[in-house]
Amino acid sequence: MTTLRVLTYNVRSLRDDAAAAARAVRSAAPDVVAIQEAPRFVRWRTRGAEFARQCGLVVLSGGRAAAGNLLLCQLGVDVERAGVLGLSHRRGAHHRGAAAAVCSLAGRRFAVVGIHLDLQPDDRSAHVRELFGRLPEVGVDPSLPRIVAGDINETPGEPAWAALAEQLRDGPAAVGADAPTFTARSPGRRIDGVFVDRRLRVVRAQVLDGPEVLAGSDHRPVLTEVELT
């Protein structure tokens, strides 16, 4: 059995304790990480690469062109292709995007996509529809098992979350690990998720806790283990 460990984490532009955030990631021993709110202005490439190094990982895709979505991976993950999508932009709203990659682990191919949806409900739903329609632009087509991870900015049952869960499986919910993720210190809402292709089996999931998580950001990371078949 080949198990892929996927982590999603909003690091709030590393404005909190970046070293603690890196320790939280490293201790989870993920294969792939979807980071939201990665540095995207001054020295964003250097800062992203340094954060990846502190996590024991390398940069896979994303950054400024992906509106702060950054994919990291461990060296055992083989990368076939990687790209970014800039999603449609409404005047006055934040720019949104996605980081995507087609990879394999122990010969098992999969696609991973990192997203950070908008604060406005209509934009969130529109961007989910747009995302699935445009994934072939970066080499991700329905023949590949897909995993979408990120900060959804809404809770399960709301329109954008429901649209994601219609296309893919809500991974943590599938194994009863649907704990709240925001805020880190006083979690009351589950707004960070990992959505898994229905052809893959979710083995286990957890919302991380501990001193590093409390210090590293205002979100809690979500770790999901998926059996690649």
Side-chain angles (χ1 to χ4, degrees):
M1 181 176 73
T2 300
T3 301
L4 177 74
R5 294 169 64 86
V6 180
L7 185 78
T8 184
Y9 194 12
N10 184 322
V11 298
R12 210 164 77 109
S13 300
L14 300 178
R15 289 179 293 177
D16 299 298
D17 188 336
R23 290 194 299 271
V25 173
R26 191 169 193 138
S27 66
D31 296 303
V32 176
V33 182
I35 294 289
Q36 301 88 52
E37 294 192 32
R40 59 191 181 101
F41 296 110
V42 178
R43 298 176 57 249
W44 64 270
R45 288 188 182 87
T46 302
R47 295 179 66 200
E50 175 60 19
F51 181 70
R53 186 192 65 77
Q54 292 176 349
C55 295
L57 304 169
V58 295
V59 173
L60 172 54
S61 177
R64 184 172 184 173
N69 288 288
L70 188 67
L71 292 178
L72 312 179
C73 69
Q74 54 100 341
L75 291 175
V77 173
D78 293 318
V79 182
E80 294 183 18
R81 64 173 62 195
V84 301
L85 288 174
L87 299 176
S88 58
H89 177 244
R90 179 177 53 81
R91 186 172 182 178
H94 289 290
H95 286 276
R96 298 293 175 179
V102 176
C103 308
S104 62
L105 181 65
R108 305 287 188 177
R109 297 177 74 231
F110 63 94
V112 61
V113 182
I115 58 171
H116 185 189
L117 296 184
D118 204 83
L119 294 173
Q120 297 300 319
D122 290 345
D123 290 345
R124 290 195 295 267
S125 296
H127 284 160
V128 170
R129 294 191 297 270
E130 182 181 353
L131 176 73
F132 284 109
R134 293 183 57 200
L135 283 178
E137 294 178 24
V138 285
V140 178
D141 61 67
S143 68
L144 285 170
R146 298 163 296 170
I147 299 168
V148 176
D151 178 354
I152 312 306
N153 262 324
E154 68 177 35
T155 56
E158 295 185 85
W161 192 292
L164 285 162
E166 181 179 347
Q167 294 275 347
L168 306 169
R169 180 187 291 116
D170 181 342
V175 291
D178 46 351
T181 62
F182 183 81
T183 63
R185 292 189 173 275
S186 183
R189 294 190 296 153
R190 185 163 79 102
I191 64 173
D192 303 270
V194 179
F195 298 85
V196 180
D197 197 292
R198 298 182 189 280
R199 291 169 288 185
L200 305 178
R201 186 171 75 90
V202 182
V203 179
R204 63 180 61 86
Q206 68 178 118
V207 176
L208 303 187
D209 194 2
E212 290 83 6
V213 169
L214 298 183
S217 177
D218 60 345
H219 287 246
R220 294 189 175 199
V222 182
L223 177 66
T224 303
E225 295 184 36
V226 178
E227 181 182 342
L228 295 177
T229 56

